[in-house]
Each structure stands twice: as C-alpha cells, then as structure tokens.
Amino acid sequence: MAQITDILNLCADKMYDQEAFTEPLCELIKLFGLPFQKRKSSDEANYSVEVSQSITQLGYLMSIQSSQVRIQICKSVVNFFNTELPGKLLSGYQPTSPNYKIRMAEIGGLAEILVLSLTLVENQLTEKLWVLKALQHLSISGESCEQMVNVQGARRLCLCLNGADPSGQLLFRSSDILWNLLEKVSKEEVVNQLRSLECVHALKEAFVELVCGFRHCDHQLRNDLLVIATLLAESPAVPLIESGFANILIVLATCTEVKLPNPLVKGFKLTYSYEDFEMKKLLFNIIGILSKDPSSAQLFSENHVIPALLYYVKQNQRSAFPDWSAAQYEELQLHALAVLASVAPVLVDKYLSCQANTLLLVFLEWCISQDPFFGRGNSFHGTGGRGTKLAQMRYSLRVLRSVVALYNDAVNSNLCDQGAISQLLDILKYAADISKEKESIALLEIQADILFILSVVCEDDNNRKELFSCEGIDILVSYLKMDPTRLCSGIGHNCLLLSALDCLWSCVIGCFIAEESFIEKQGVFLLLDLLAVRDNNLCNIILGILVEFSDNPKTVLHMSIWRGKRDRTAANVLVQLWRQEEQDLGVKRDQNGKIVDPKRPVITSFQRQQKVIPVPACCPSFSVMEISESIRAKIYSLFWKLGFENLPGLSAKDVVTLAIIQHYIDFKVGEVWSEISAEIKEEFRPVTSDERALKLISEVSENTGRMVLGLQNEALERQHNQEIKEEKKIYKEIQATLVQKEMIDKSWQNFLARTSNYEALKKAKMHQKTLIEASRSKAKLHNGPEHSTDIPKLHTTYSNFIDDLRVYVRGGTGGMGYPNLGGEGGRGGDVWFVARERTTLKSIREKYPQKRFVAGTGANSSVKALKGEKGKDCEVHVPLGISVVDDDGKQIGELNAAGERFLAARGGLGGSLATNFLPCKGQRRTVHLDLKLIADVGLVGFPNAGKSSLLSKISHAKPEIANYAFTTIQPELGKIMYADYKQISVADLPGLIEGAHANKGMGHKFLKHVERTKQLLLVVDISGFQLSMKTQFRTAFETILLLTKELELYKEELVTKPALLAINKMDLPCAKDNLDELMTQLENPQDFFHLLEEEMIPENTLEFRELIPVSTYTGEGIEELKTCLRKSIDEQAEQVNEEYRKKKLLLLQTSKEEQMNRS
C-alpha cells in the first residue's frame, strides 16, 4: 500500500504536465477497490497506520482536476463496502475482515475530505453525484458522520438539495445523508448548521418542487424533508417564518379543509395514499410547533388555521374525505384536536368568532351519548380509546383547558352562558362511573382536566359556585374518599386528587351555600383523613383549605370531634405535621421537642446561614418570607380557631410542641425585630434611646422563649409523675393478683388435704352432721317473739315465672245512628286492666292464648230506643305491680294496689249527626304488661352465690339448685311463714354479672324486680367469685362493692333501701379467716379502696343493718337470718307508720291554723 501510494503521488505530479498519466493513475486507484489480503492475523493492526494514510492520500487526489480520476476515487470508496470474498486467494494469504477498509477510512478522515471536495465539483453534476454516493455509503458509520459535521457537512449537503438534476439523484442522496447525520450525530449540532436563511431557502425550494411531484419516490422524499423541517421548527432561531417556508406549510395543512384559492398550492392535489396521510399528520405537527412562536399568529389567522382544525370537531358518522379510511380519519381528527389545543390560546378572538366553544360542547355531548361509534385506538393520540369515544373526549377537553387557562373573561362567560358547568359535571360523573369499572390514564386525565376547567370558570363568581354546588359537591366528596395508597399508582391519581382539591378551593370556598353543603357531607372529616396521610404534596393545600373553612363555626366543631385511625385527633395530626415541618426546615429541638435556643426558638437552618443584607422596607425579610412558604403559619391559624386548652388526644410531647405553636407569632415578631436590629447595626450606629428600645424588645422575645421552655418542663414533669403513678397502680394490681393466687393455692391445698384422706373425709362428714343437728331449734325463744316456719302443708312458690306479656286491645265499635229521627248509636265498650291479687301473667296467657281483648259493640239506634246502649266493657284482671308500656317503650299506666283500674282502649263513638250517623271504630293498640315483683325482701348476688339454696332454707319454695352459674334463669318468689302467721315474701332474682346496669346479660330484666322490694338481702360467697376462667377473680369484699356499684349505676335510689348481708358458704375451709378479713374491710372500706380499680368503687356504700354468716349446706345461721329479716321488716313498718302519723298530725295542725286565721 505504501509503494502504491508513492507511485500514485508521482503520477499525480506528472499529470499536471502530461495527461497521458491519467490512465495508469486510474488503474492504480482501482487497486484500492480490490479486496485486501493479509498473511497473518496481526497484519491488520501492524499496517493500520500505513493503510489509513494511504486511504487519506487517496482522498487528497480529489484535488486533481480530472473527472475520470475523481470518479474512479469515488468508485473505489464505494467498493470499500463490497463484502464479497475474492474468487481466488494468493498462496499463504487470507482476506481481511469485511469492515477493515471502512475502519481505515474512518481513521484516515476520508469522509471529511470528500465533504470538502464538494466545493471542487460544484458545477460538475456527474462528479458531484459520485461524491455524494461515496458519502452516502460512508454516512452509515457514526464516526464518519461526526467527521462530516465537523466540516459543516450538514450545511454543504443542504445546499445541494436544489441543484439542477433531472434524474432527482442529487436530492435523494443529499437528503439521505442528512437523515443519517440526524440519526447518528447530535440533532442540535446538525440543526445549528441548517439554521441559516440560505439552508432554509434551499430546503423550501426542494420541498416545493417535490410537492407537485407524482412519483412515489417524490412523495417519500417530500415527507423526509417535512421531518427535517419539523426538527428545524423546534428551534426558535431557525428563520422558517422569514423565509416563507412556514407560510407554505400552513397553507398546505389547511387547503383541503377551508378550500380557499391560493397560488402557493396551485396544482396540488391529495391522492389519499399512505404518504399523503403521513404528510397531513406532519403538517399538523408543524402547526403545533409553530404555535409556540408568537410571530406565527398572523400566519395562522391569514390562513384560517382555526376553522380548518375545527372542521374535525364533529361526529364520526362519515368522513369528509371519502378516500380516508375510518382509522385514518379518526387519527387525523385526534391530531387536529391536539394541535387546536396549542393554537387556540394564540388566536383567542378567532377562536370565539368561530363559535369553537359551542362546537366543542356539542362534540362532548356526542362523546357521552349512546352513539354506536367504535374507536380504533391505533394511533398515539388514540391511546386508551379503543372501543369508546374517550380519546375524542380527552383531546376536546384539552382544547377547553388550554383556552380556559388564559383566564379570559370572554371565554369563561361564553362557556357558562351555554350551560358548560352542568354539562361538564355530567361528563365528570360519566367518567367517574366508568373509572369504577376500569381505570386508565385517559380517564384520570379527563377527570383532572374537567376539574381544572370548573376551577377556573367558577373562581370569583358566587352564582357559578352555587350552580356547581348542586351536583359538584357530591363528586368532590367521592374524590376525597380516594384510598391514599392509590396516590402512588403512577397513572395519575395524585394529579386527580390535587385537581379535586384545587376545584374545592375555587368552586366552594367563598360561597356560603356551597360551604354549608360540603361541611354537611362530612367534607371536613375527609380533608382531615387526607391530612393524616401526611403527603407533602397535599398537606399545604389541605391546610390552606381548612384555614379558609375555619371561619365557619361548623368547621371548628367537625375538627374537634374528628377521630382518625388509632383514635387520633385533629390537634394530634396538626402537632405531628408541625414537628415534621420543623425537622425538614432544620429547626433545632432536643430529644423531647423542647426549645434549644430561647433567643430564636423557631429559626430555620436556612435563616441561620443567611448573612445580614439590608433590604428596602417594601421587601419582605427572610422571616416574613418563611411564614408564607412553610405550613407552620397555617397550622397556627387552625389552632387559633380550635383553641390551645383542653385539646383531646395529645401526649406530653404534643403538649411540649403545642406550647411553641401557641407563641409562634410572638417568636416571629422577635425574629423580625432581630433582623431590623442587625440591619441597623450593619450600616448605622443607633442612638442610645433606639439601642435601649431594641435591647428591650430582644429581652421580651427571649423571656417569652424562656417562659415557653418552663411550660414545656412542667408538661414533661407531669408526664413523669403520671408514669410513676401508673407504675404504682400496676404494681398494686400485681400484688393483689399474687395475694389472690396465694389464697386460691391455699384453698386448693386444703381441698386436696380434705379429699385425699378417707379417714379425714369420714371425720368431716360426722362433724358436719353434728353441726346440722346443733343448728336445729330445740327450744323456744323467751326473749322475743317466736318465729317458727314449721307449718304443715305450707308450700308457696312461683314456677315458670312470666314478667312480660304482649297483648292486643281494641275498644268496641259504636252503634249505628238513626238518620230519620236523629237517633244516636251506643258508644262502644272499653277495655280495662284491673289489678287483683292471686293473679299472674301466666294465668292470663293460659286463659287467653290469643292474647286479644276486644270490648263489645254499642247498640244501634232504633225507633224503640233512639239512644243506643253502650257496649259491654272488657275487664282484664292483672297482677299487682304491673306497668303498662306501649310498643315505643313509653310507660302509659301503672297498677300497684288491688282494685286499681287502667283504661287500655277506649270504645268508639256511636253514629250521630256529627258522624253522618255512621259509627266510629274503637281505639286499638298493642301494649306490654311489664311485671315488677312486689316483695318484702329481694335476694341480690352474683351467680352461684347460693341465693336459691338460701331461699329453699328460709321458705318452702323449691327453686332449682345446682353447682354451676346461672342456675336460676327466672325470678322465684317464696314466703316465710312465722308462728304468729306473719308472712314475709322473698324474691330470688337471677344472678347479676358485671355490667348488668348497662343491660349486659339480662341486666335490666332482672334489676327491674329489685325496684319494688322493700329491703335488699345481698348474698355473697365468702370464698369469692369468678364467672369463668376468662374473667377476673373477685374477693368477697370486691363482690360486695361490685354489687353496690351495679345497683347504683342502674338506679341511685336502690342504694338507699334498707339492706342486710348474708355471708354464705361458711362451711368451706378458711371461711373463718376470710370472714375476719372481710369484717375488717367492711368496718373501714375506704382504707382499702386504693387496692381496687376505680371502676369498682361506688360513690355511696350500702349500710347493712345486719351481717349474718350462714351456711345453706349445714344450716348454720339460718334461724338467725330469719329472725333478723323479721326484725328489720317490723322496724321498717313501724318507721313508715310513725311517718304516716306525723304527716297526719301535721295536716291536722295546718287545718286548725287555717280555721283560726279565717275566724
């Protein structure tokens, strides 16, 4: 290669004198086009320098003014790209790699040399075409393209576009090389070389020539040049408008729609081929790009761009161009709408004059109609619109959004006058309904655009806000209920929510009716729910909305009662947002949130880094700007409405932060004065009085910081004390649990000891019999009345007890009147409830299984008796203690004494002149007969305390007795018969449980019977009580307090009744020890309250008249209990009689005094 190159140089030198060297020179150049062969694999790298230099020298030979030589050089370069293997190889040689010569050409800079040689062949068409062909091959390589651009290759090639060439090869090859440059080199650099007016003119002339071409290749080249023109249009410095190229492109884009004669497009005709379709889209795209340049507005107006684009704003029933396919027309339509969104803001007046708003609203109405249109969704603009009209709706709304975003009153008024608000709300509901089934980016964008349009249209106009509130509030509320996890979906939920909040700000705030509607629909709760998510993008706008809403008192009320997850309050959320904001701003706080620097407590890290810069009085300082930029000022404003005292849900750390919030403005005022002082001292020396004033202001601010720091320390101290108190309480509970556990273990050990030894069991049985015999009465009492219960054939009990019965009552219908003689029909009979002894609800149910009581019908008026007789009354005998209650739970009557009557249903009036002689129907209703037992003594206790056993011992009643809880499931009534035939009724009530006052279990059903007993007998298990393994064990003392608490919570007057205490199961082991401990606790119960839970302690304790230890198993204390009951009942009766006598005496004295005064 080196030797051939030397010969080439010699021949080239000789050619200047003798042309005979042309042929051998061309033959030598042909050698470069032959395949290269190598002996070893390393030869390619070893001889790369010589080869690349030889190829470079080959390029320099282009300077020889010989057409034959230049063409041969280009042919040899083209042969570099021939990858066919040689037919015959030399012995011991092999072919080089296929791209070896191309790489050597890149190293040698051959492309750069050939570009420069274009100047040499400027007027030689054949030579220029060969050079361009060589460059066309070289432009496949990115490195060669870089070399071309380095020598202004793009500009040189562009100037070749419009050269004279009947074959069209010049234009084809130049444009192809330009395409490769744009693809393989930086587009900005290529466009920068094509930005000259000379290049744009060349491009324009080439394009105009191709527009009228009829060949398929002409159409392809035309579209290629359009793409290059599009890239140029994106650069604002390219003189497309000045060169007139933009005008030609706009005219071509609109000529088929507006059909105006224009000499620029004379002879142009669409063939509706694929190339024409692509050209149409490219022209639309260029219009969209040119719309960014304000100077293009006049061109758009002159060439009627707005009407041309609006031509596509119509239903897709049939194409205006019959030769476009449905898919092509849809794509053009969507492209036109997308371009209209860019052009409309530039030509607002033209937009309004063409009634564009009307066309778009009509088009949107079609988009939500049931028209059987099927969108193809093939194009970029049709994404998400397959099978629907969503794509058309999407880009129509983009047009409305673009013009509305100008905040032009004429545009907004034009929209509202055509009912756009209601129509947009309908479209919004339509899109929201579809989103519930299947969400997409297009649907979310449609909803966000509508919300933005409504925000702009309704802003600052209360009438429009009221119109929006009719339907828009419900839609906004649905958006605010969005699941916060969807904000990170990546398909636009966050933009939709921000648009909804912006719409709320613009369309609701400021209109009283809209605000009230939003608050009534719990909008404030929803805003707080979103605020609790603590999304930085949402917090600022939500706080701003809440501040605006806080002028309404209902907003403050809703904020006060709002509760979030884990029972968080609004105050707690706001305090946490404050702390997060201070952390982001770099405000210094210690680990407990306390103030670190009392002089500047709320200063941010950014403010600390700023130097003192004197600013004019009209310019805000850093402290003032911080108020407007951070959310702390908004949080302070909300707390100013909520108040700073008695806020629920705040921890001690929250209270510490709240102290800072409360004095936020004081601290900011101090910061401003600190900045003023620093600026003054930077430039001046203040006089003594000013310096003293500034110092005083600084001290006041610092004192405020110290005062807040003191409040924070107090809050933390209170928290510390509370924690200590809770720890002590927990420690006491643990101690009490351990004591109970020890007692249970001790009881279990005793039980094992008693039941594991046969001899001990036998001895205990004998001892038990002895105690039973000893407890039986063997002699009469001489010191008091004899109260024996051993009366033969006495057995009083009530089984299958019923305390509630629902019955139907109806008064009788009146009799018919006599119209001819004016006779009146008889009144219908009445239904009466009459209290009678020895009657039960059970007997009523058995006697009247239908539980229907209907009075008789009044007699009709007749000639013999013009006044008809009244119908027969229906009297229902009910037991004493009945309350009559209607279906609504309201008590309407009460029967406590024998003979008392209650009118349950009144009979209807007879026919008379007033009723046109027609009878009236009687009153009808359903009532409940609610029985509350009237007994002298009521047994009250927890389940399995031994109440039924005790009743069987002191009376002849036979209730069900078993060793499990809730043996008694209905009240039992027994009577104690004494020797003097005195009777005392005793009611055994089913066992209560904790929470009976709140109707837990059957609380109300059982506690109501306690109300009418004269005295209470509390029955307590000396060993304690535990309902199940899941409930807590209660000692006898705790049991007494819990029973008292349940009675007190049900009705406070129950605690004032006379009460006795029976301590049962004294036959159990450790009973005597437990009794001694219980007696000590009952003597001074207040001394032991600290060991109990606060919920167990009653406000008033029962005062027991007697405490009687008994054992229903052995009979111990039974007779004493009966005696105490008789004594207590007699004393109460005597007390009642004494009060009655005193009352009568007082009335007698009062009457005598009145008589004396009269005389």
Side-chain angles (χ1 to χ4, degrees):
M1 290 297 297
Q3 295 172 2
I4 293 174
T5 302
D6 292 339
I7 297 172
L8 280 174
N9 292 331
L10 289 173
C11 290
D13 292 338
K14 295 293 183 180
M15 272 194 63
Y16 290 107
D17 300 327
Q18 303 177 26
E19 292 184 1
F21 284 92
T22 301
E23 288 298 329
L25 183 61
C26 290
E27 291 299 323
L28 289 171
I29 293 173
K30 283 182 182 180
L31 296 176
F32 283 87
L34 297 176
F36 286 1
Q37 298 180 27
K38 60 184 177 181
R39 188 186 297 275
K40 297 182 295 184
S41 298
S42 60
D43 285 350
E44 290 187 5
N46 295 336
Y47 295 102
S48 61
V49 176
E50 290 80 359
V51 174
S52 62
Q53 288 177 352
S54 298
I55 292 176
T56 302
Q57 190 62 35
L58 182 67
Y60 287 144
L61 293 177
M62 288 294 294
S63 59
I64 298 174
Q65 294 184 359
S66 170
S67 176
Q68 187 178 357
V69 173
R70 290 172 178 172
I71 292 173
Q72 188 58 55
I73 292 172
C74 294
K75 286 180 179 181
S76 296
V77 172
V78 170
N79 285 333
F80 287 178
F81 296 86
N82 184 9
T83 57
E84 293 182 6
L85 294 174
K88 185 179 180 181
L89 294 174
L90 297 175
S91 179
Y93 285 83
Q94 58 182 343
T96 58
S97 57
N99 297 327
Y100 180 68
K101 285 194 281 187
I102 299 173
R103 291 202 307 271
M104 296 300 102
E106 292 173 354
I107 296 172
L110 180 61
E112 183 175 336
I113 297 171
L114 289 179
V115 169
L116 293 174
S117 68
L118 283 173
T119 307
L120 302 175
V121 296
E122 182 68 30
N123 299 319
Q124 305 296 326
L125 179 60
T126 304
E127 297 174 20
K128 184 187 289 188
L129 287 175
W130 274 105
V131 173
L132 289 174
K133 187 174 182 179
L135 287 172
Q136 191 176 6
H137 282 78
L138 289 171
S139 64
I140 297 173
S141 164
E143 189 170 348
S144 295
C145 289
E146 288 280 357
Q147 295 172 6
M148 295 182 199
V149 172
N150 290 338
V151 290
Q152 295 291 310
R155 184 184 64 81
R156 295 172 187 272
L157 291 166
C158 184
L159 296 177
C160 295
L161 289 173
N162 58 347
D165 178 20
S167 66
Q169 290 296 312
L170 189 64
L171 178 60
F172 167 72
R173 289 174 180 169
S174 301
S175 61
D176 188 48
I177 299 170
L178 280 175
W179 260 110
N180 291 334
L181 293 180
L182 287 169
E183 287 180 353
K184 295 177 172 59
V185 189
S186 169
K187 288 185 178 63
E188 291 77 12
E189 194 169 351
V190 175
V191 170
N192 190 46
Q193 292 184 14
L194 298 176
R195 62 188 293 182
S196 66
L197 185 61
E198 187 181 10
C199 288
V200 176
H201 272 297
L203 193 64
K204 179 187 73 172
E205 292 172 5
F207 176 76
V208 171
E209 183 180 349
L210 291 171
V211 164
C212 299
F214 56 89
R215 294 179 301 176
H216 180 72
C217 61
D218 292 340
H219 295 170
Q220 289 181 327
L221 282 173
R222 175 194 64 193
N223 291 349
D224 290 345
L225 294 181
L226 269 179
V227 174
I228 297 173
T230 302
L231 295 174
L232 292 177
E234 292 176 350
S235 176
V238 176
L240 278 181
I241 297 175
E242 293 82 348
S243 65
F245 195 13
N247 189 38
I248 294 174
L249 296 175
I250 294 171
V251 170
L252 280 175
T254 60
C255 64
T256 54
E257 287 81 13
V258 295
K259 300 187 184 301
L260 293 176
N262 194 313
L264 294 174
V265 291
K266 187 176 181 181
F268 172 71
K269 185 178 181 180
L270 280 175
T271 61
Y272 303 104
S273 61
Y274 176 75
E275 285 72 23
D276 283 353
F277 174 66
E278 291 295 319
M279 182 195 72
K280 193 73 176 177
K281 291 196 298 180
L282 288 168
L283 290 171
F284 278 168
N285 193 39
I286 288 177
I287 291 177
I289 295 172
L290 290 174
S291 65
K292 300 175 183 177
D293 187 353
S295 60
S296 62
Q298 185 177 355
L299 287 177
F300 291 158
S301 179
E302 292 173 353
N303 293 295
H304 307 285
V305 171
I306 294 287
L309 296 174
L310 287 173
Y311 181 81
Y312 293 91
V313 184
K314 58 185 177 182
Q315 302 178 11
N316 297 39
Q317 293 178 350
R318 55 192 285 281
S319 173
F321 306 116
D323 295 306
W324 293 132
S325 67
Q328 286 177 330
Y329 180 75
E330 180 187 354
E331 189 170 351
L332 286 176
Q333 181 188 52
L334 296 175
H335 206 145
L337 287 170
V339 173
L340 183 59
S342 302
V343 176
V346 180
L347 299 173
V348 177
D349 295 335
K350 189 73 173 177
Y351 173 87
L352 291 173
S353 65
C354 293
Q355 298 295 318
N357 282 337
T358 305
L359 292 174
L360 287 167
L361 291 175
V362 172
F363 189 63
L364 285 170
E365 188 67 28
W366 171 77
C367 288
I368 63 173
S369 66
Q370 299 298 322
D371 187 275
F373 170 74
F374 185 85
R376 271 70 179 176
N378 298 326
S379 64
F380 168 78
H381 295 94
T383 303
R386 185 173 182 83
T388 64
K389 307 170 195 171
L390 292 180
Q392 285 78 3
M393 185 188 302
R394 181 184 190 182
Y395 285 97
S396 300
L397 289 168
R398 278 194 185 179
V399 177
L400 287 177
R401 175 176 181 140
S402 66
V403 292
V404 165
L406 299 173
Y407 291 87
N408 187 298
D409 292 337
V411 174
N412 296 342
S413 299
N414 182 264
L415 275 173
C416 294
D417 292 344
Q418 300 181 65
I421 294 177
S422 300
Q423 184 176 344
L424 288 172
L425 287 174
D426 291 338
I427 299 172
L428 188 59
K429 286 191 287 186
Y430 172 80
D433 291 339
I434 297 178
S435 294
K436 294 176 183 177
E437 300 174 2
K438 183 180 180 181
E439 286 186 337
S440 64
I441 297 175
L443 276 171
L444 294 174
E445 185 180 322
I446 286 170
Q447 296 172 78
D449 284 345
I450 295 174
L451 290 170
F452 174 79
I453 295 168
L454 290 170
S455 300
V456 177
V457 169
C458 296
E459 193 171 9
D460 301 328
D461 192 312
N462 279 345
N463 293 328
R464 296 174 186 172
K465 290 181 180 181
E466 290 181 12
L467 181 61
F468 170 86
S469 65
C470 297
E471 298 179 0
I473 299 294
D474 291 327
I475 301 175
L476 286 180
V477 167
S478 67
Y479 289 133
L480 297 181
K481 292 180 180 178
M482 183 188 298
D483 184 0
T485 57
R486 299 165 73 184
L487 296 176
C488 303
S489 63
I491 63 174
H493 286 99
N494 54 340
C495 294
L496 178 59
L497 184 55
L498 286 171
S499 298
L501 291 171
D502 181 53
C503 187
L504 175 62
W505 184 288
S506 302
C507 300
V508 177
I509 292 175
C511 176
F512 178 78
I513 295 175
E515 287 183 2
E516 286 289 316
S517 176
F518 180 76
I519 294 173
E520 287 175 3
K521 290 178 172 60
Q522 299 185 348
V524 175
F525 290 165
L526 298 174
L527 289 174
L528 290 171
D529 290 338
L530 288 173
L531 192 63
V533 178
R534 294 170 65 180
D535 188 297
N536 293 333
N537 297 323
L538 301 177
C539 286
N540 207 338
I541 186 170
I542 293 175
L543 287 171
I545 292 171
L546 287 173
V547 169
E548 294 295 330
F549 268 116
S550 62
D551 291 333
N552 191 317
K554 292 182 180 179
T555 301
V556 179
L557 177 61
H558 281 226
M559 291 181 66
S560 301
I561 63 178
W562 174 82
R563 293 295 181 272
K565 292 182 180 178
R566 297 185 296 277
D567 207 29
R568 296 175 67 190
T569 63
N572 176 255
V573 172
L574 293 174
V575 168
Q576 288 186 3
L577 285 174
W578 178 284
R579 282 203 293 266
Q580 183 63 44
E581 180 72 5
E582 287 197 332
Q583 183 178 351
D584 296 340
L585 294 174
V587 180
K588 290 184 178 180
R589 296 282 181 264
D590 68 0
Q591 59 182 1
N592 295 316
K594 294 193 302 180
I595 292 174
V596 175
D597 182 9
K599 293 183 178 180
R600 307 179 77 182
V602 294
I603 190 172
T604 65
S605 59
F606 174 77
Q607 290 176 262
R608 284 194 296 270
Q609 295 169 3
Q610 303 308 309
K611 297 180 180 179
V612 179
I613 303 174
V615 295
C618 59
C619 296
S621 63
F622 291 115
S623 297
V624 177
M625 286 191 295
E626 190 274 330
I627 292 178
S628 62
E629 292 175 358
S630 75
I631 65 174
R632 292 193 293 178
K634 297 183 179 71
I635 295 175
Y636 171 78
S637 300
L638 289 174
F639 269 114
W640 189 255
K641 296 290 184 179
L642 282 172
F644 294 94
E645 302 294 334
N646 302 322
L647 293 173
L650 296 183
S651 63
K653 190 173 182 179
D654 293 340
V655 174
V656 168
T657 305
L658 187 62
I660 300 173
I661 299 174
Q662 187 172 1
H663 295 85
Y664 173 68
I665 290 298
D666 298 332
F667 295 147
K668 295 305 292 185
V669 170
E671 281 185 18
V672 172
W673 277 110
S674 176
E675 289 176 339
I676 293 173
S677 176
E679 289 180 17
I680 291 175
K681 293 179 180 178
E682 183 72 17
E683 295 188 346
F684 310 101
R685 180 180 178 183
V687 296
T688 305
S689 58
D690 290 346
E691 189 172 4
R692 191 183 304 114
L694 290 172
K695 184 178 180 181
L696 181 61
I697 292 171
S698 175
E699 290 176 354
V700 169
S701 177
E702 187 173 353
N703 291 337
T704 304
R706 290 198 181 95
M707 181 268 292
V708 172
L709 185 59
L711 294 174
Q712 292 175 328
N713 289 327
E714 291 177 6
L716 293 173
E717 184 67 24
R718 285 195 302 270
Q719 182 199 21
H720 181 66
N721 294 335
Q722 182 65 26
E723 290 175 352
I724 293 175
K725 185 177 179 181
E726 290 177 357
E727 288 176 359
K728 289 181 178 179
K729 182 179 178 181
I730 294 172
Y731 178 70
K732 290 178 181 178
E733 291 177 355
I734 294 172
Q735 279 186 320
T737 304
L738 290 175
V739 171
Q740 290 179 357
K741 187 176 180 181
E742 290 175 359
M743 291 176 62
I744 294 171
D745 291 343
K746 186 177 180 182
S747 175
W748 175 249
Q749 293 297 331
N750 291 335
F751 175 77
L752 287 177
R754 286 190 296 109
T755 57
S756 301
N757 190 331
Y758 174 74
E759 293 297 330
L761 284 174
K762 186 176 179 182
K763 185 177 180 181
K765 184 68 175 178
M766 296 298 296
H767 180 64
Q768 188 179 54
K769 288 182 178 180
T770 304
L771 290 176
I772 292 173
E773 292 294 332
S775 65
R776 290 178 178 172
S777 178
K778 298 179 180 179
K780 293 185 179 181
L781 295 172
H782 300 286
N783 297 329
E786 184 175 312
H787 306 302
S788 175
T789 60
D790 297 330
I791 300 175
K793 298 181 181 180
L794 178 64
H795 181 73
T796 305
T797 184
Y798 296 86
S799 60
N800 298 327
F801 183 78
I802 298 175
D803 58 0
D804 183 77
L805 189 66
R806 187 172 182 263
V807 297
Y808 172 80
V809 293
R810 189 184 76 192
T813 305
M816 290 289 293
Y818 201 109
N820 294 339
L821 300 176
E824 296 183 2
R827 185 187 185 93
D830 302 326
V831 180
W832 293 86
F833 291 147
V834 183
R836 192 173 72 172
E837 295 182 351
R838 300 187 179 278
T839 302
T840 64
L841 293 180
K842 178 183 177 184
S843 64
I844 297 174
R845 188 180 67 178
E846 292 174 350
K847 187 175 181 181
Y848 306 101
Q850 300 297 327
K851 295 180 283 184
R852 290 171 60 88
F853 302 99
V854 182
T857 305
N860 296 333
S861 175
S862 64
V863 177
K864 295 181 180 180
L866 291 178
K867 177 68 175 177
E869 293 184 0
K870 181 184 178 183
K872 185 179 180 181
D873 290 343
C874 176
E875 291 189 355
V876 184
H877 296 290
V878 297
L880 307 184
I882 282 292
S883 295
V884 185
V885 182
D886 62 12
D887 272 345
D888 295 331
K890 181 181 179 183
Q891 182 174 321
I892 57 178
E894 193 173 27
L895 301 170
N896 294 322
E900 287 188 357
R901 297 167 63 85
F902 172 74
L903 180 59
R906 190 182 299 278
L909 297 174
S912 62
L913 181 63
T915 63
N916 201 16
F917 299 100
L918 296 174
C920 297
K921 293 184 178 180
Q923 183 183 9
R924 64 183 67 190
R925 58 182 168 181
T926 303
V927 297
H928 290 262
L929 300 178
D930 188 20
L931 176 63
K932 297 180 180 178
L933 288 179
I934 299 178
D936 295 319
V937 179
L939 300 182
V940 179
F942 283 132
N944 210 26
K947 300 185 297 299
S948 299
S949 301
L950 184 61
L951 180 64
S952 67
K953 289 291 184 180
I954 64 178
S955 72
H956 291 277
K958 300 297 180 184
E960 184 178 353
I961 301 172
N963 188 22
Y964 54 83
F966 299 110
T967 308
T968 304
I969 59 175
Q970 57 191 11
E972 295 284 349
L973 192 63
K975 288 191 177 181
I976 306 174
M977 184 68 76
Y978 293 90
D980 58 354
Y981 296 98
K982 168 73 175 180
Q983 296 182 14
I984 294 179
S985 57
V986 181
D988 176 19
L989 307 179
L992 302 176
I993 62 173
E994 295 184 43
H997 69 278
N999 206 22
K1000 189 175 181 181
M1002 297 291 282
H1004 288 179
K1005 188 173 178 65
F1006 299 157
L1007 281 169
K1008 69 178 182 179
H1009 296 293
V1010 184
E1011 294 182 46
R1012 294 188 180 175
T1013 57
K1014 295 178 182 178
Q1015 296 189 7
L1016 303 178
L1017 176 60
L1018 268 66
V1019 183
V1020 176
D1021 188 343
I1022 187 61
S1023 62
F1025 167 70
Q1026 186 175 20
L1027 183 61
S1028 66
M1029 295 300 294
K1030 296 180 180 180
T1031 59
Q1032 189 173 352
F1033 175 80
R1034 303 295 188 187
T1035 64
F1037 177 63
E1038 292 175 338
T1039 304
I1040 295 169
L1041 293 180
L1042 280 172
L1043 288 171
T1044 307
K1045 186 71 173 179
E1046 294 296 334
L1047 294 172
E1048 180 183 68
L1049 291 173
Y1050 178 68
K1051 276 193 177 180
E1052 291 186 7
E1053 53 265 28
L1054 293 181
V1055 186
T1056 62
K1057 288 180 179 288
L1060 292 85
L1061 176 62
I1063 305 171
N1064 195 14
K1065 303 186 181 180
M1066 289 301 298
D1067 56 296
L1068 296 177
C1070 302
K1072 293 189 180 297
D1073 296 338
N1074 293 342
L1075 179 63
D1076 294 339
E1077 182 181 357
L1078 177 61
M1079 297 300 290
T1080 304
Q1081 292 172 330
L1082 290 176
E1083 286 178 3
N1084 296 296
Q1086 291 81 5
D1087 296 343
F1088 299 90
F1089 282 174
H1090 66 279
L1091 299 174
L1092 308 175
E1093 301 173 6
E1094 293 184 4
E1095 295 79 8
M1096 295 174 53
I1097 303 172
E1099 294 184 5
N1100 300 302
T1101 56
L1102 281 172
E1103 297 292 337
F1104 298 110
R1105 294 189 173 187
E1106 298 287 346
L1107 280 75
I1108 309 98
V1110 298
S1111 172
T1112 57
Y1113 185 71
T1114 63
E1116 176 187 352
I1118 297 297
E1119 291 299 326
E1120 182 184 357
L1121 175 61
K1122 291 190 288 187
T1123 302
C1124 291
L1125 287 173
R1126 172 66 183 272
K1127 180 181 177 182
S1128 179
I1129 292 292
D1130 290 344
E1131 288 178 354
Q1132 186 180 13
E1134 182 64 29
Q1135 184 179 357
V1136 171
N1137 292 336
E1138 183 66 26
E1139 291 178 356
Y1140 177 76
R1141 287 195 298 270
K1142 289 181 180 180
K1143 185 177 180 181
K1144 283 289 187 180
L1145 182 60
L1146 181 61
L1147 290 173
L1148 182 61
Q1149 291 175 351
T1150 304
S1151 61
K1152 286 183 178 180
E1153 289 177 359
E1154 289 178 354
Q1155 291 177 1
M1156 291 176 63
N1157 291 334
R1158 291 173 186 172
S1159 61

